[in-house]
Amino acid sequence: AQSVTQLDSHVSVSEGTPVLLRCNYSSSYSPSLFWYVQHPNKGLQLLLKYTSAATLVKGINGFEAEFKKSETSFHLTKPSAHMSDAAEYFCVAYGQNFVFGPGTRLSVLP
Amino acid sequence: DTAVSQTPKYLVTQMGNDKSIKCEQNLGHDTMYWYKQDSKKFLKIMFSYNNKELIINETVPNRFSPKSPDKAHLNLHINSLELGDSAVYFCASSQAPSGLASRTDTQYFGPGTRLTVL
């Protein structure tokens, strides 16, 4: 059975500093991996996805993620946080089904 | 134009009532989904429909019954509502039929319906 772990339930950074949101997955085979963002009272929006092509994936709004099979990780990064990045972030794996991680709330301090 | 829309946005009702949430997508997608997001923001898939046919039916009480009159609509009917049904319900759609092609699919989510059962 596949599962997705997001190691931090809450991450707080200052505006202009780097962002790192961690995601690990477990699966018997290489799944497709996604990061979605949910702003308050909104639906989820795709940031980026990995589908067995390039291991470094670039997404919208300056976010990127690197697939590391040896570490079963797909961490999300951004070089410089913006106030508008404050939201809930979900790591998602698709093997036979879509499985969502528990989410990481990102706070950006002025 | 809204890609995936849900109505109503908010739904407050008493225990024991029956209610429906409607979902429509104008993206021409073949697959639609219902998710439940609990108070801790945890998202869990409930159902997946491909071209009006049920593909995924996770462990959901049979009080929940999805209905797909056509591939652009997937409505969720809930009988005998319970306190634990209070949550935000999200509808989503993706382009390809379920199967290997779905591994690459982007899901497009509706804005959610906040259900409160009193």
Side-chain angles (χ1 to χ4, degrees):
Chain A
Q2 58 186 69
S3 66
V4 177
T5 304
Q6 290 180 243
L7 296 165
D8 305 298
S9 60
H10 183 209
V11 170
S12 186
V13 301
S14 297
E15 191 174 22
T17 64
V19 175
L20 170 64
L21 304 182
R22 296 182 291 170
C23 172
N24 288 86
Y25 70 92
S26 69
S27 176
S28 55
Y29 42 86
S30 291
S32 294
L33 295 161
F34 306 76
W35 275 99
Y36 281 83
V37 60
Q38 183 181 25
H39 286 95
N41 300 313
K42 300 285 186 185
L44 282 77
Q45 179 187 17
L46 180 73
L47 277 179
L48 48 81
K49 62 183 177 183
Y50 165 76
T51 57
S52 72
T55 57
L56 182 61
V57 182
K58 293 188 185 299
I60 62 172
N61 300 335
F63 284 95
E64 61 181 41
E66 186 172 8
F67 172 69
K68 292 186 177 179
K69 187 174 181 180
S70 60
E71 299 176 8
T72 61
S73 69
F74 189 57
H75 300 335
L76 181 71
T77 60
K78 183 173 179 177
S80 176
H82 191 272
M83 296 295 288
S84 61
D85 295 327
E88 192 87 18
Y89 291 79
F90 293 92
C91 182
V92 183
Y94 184 95
Q96 294 177 309
N97 214 339
F98 285 104
V99 176
F100 281 69
T104 297
R105 182 163 60 93
L106 175 65
S107 297
V108 181
L109 307 174
Chain B
D1 280 345
T2 304
V4 182
S5 59
Q6 296 178 228
T7 54
K9 189 168 182 179
Y10 298 96
L11 184 54
V12 180
T13 187
Q14 301 281 344
M15 274 177 53
N17 283 351
D18 303 339
K19 291 293 178 185
S20 292
I21 307 172
K22 296 185 178 181
C23 177
E24 176 181 1
Q25 53 96 2
N26 62 7
L27 299 167
H29 288 169
D30 283 330
T31 306
M32 295 184 73
Y33 312 80
W34 275 109
Y35 288 87
K36 179 180 180 180
Q37 185 177 45
D38 62 23
S39 59
K40 296 182 179 178
K41 300 283 188 180
F42 183 66
L43 264 160
K44 186 170 168 55
I45 191 167
M46 300 172 70
F47 302 102
S48 167
Y49 264 70
N50 170 245
N51 225 346
K52 303 195 297 176
E53 289 189 25
L54 181 65
I55 302 297
I56 296 170
N57 182 0
E58 293 295 313
T59 307
V60 174
N62 57 15
R63 298 182 294 104
F64 291 79
S65 53
K67 289 186 171 46
S68 183
D70 55 61
K71 75 172 194 177
H73 295 84
L74 181 61
N75 302 324
L76 184 64
H77 189 76
I78 315 169
N79 289 328
S80 302
L81 278 155
E82 300 178 357
L83 293 176
D85 298 333
S86 295
V88 181
Y89 292 84
F90 286 99
C91 176
S93 71
S94 66
Q95 185 169 14
S98 293
L100 282 179
S102 296
R103 291 172 58 86
T104 63
D105 271 358
T106 298
Q107 291 184 77
Y108 293 82
F109 284 80
T113 295
R114 183 175 293 277
L115 171 66
T116 303
V117 182
L118 304 175

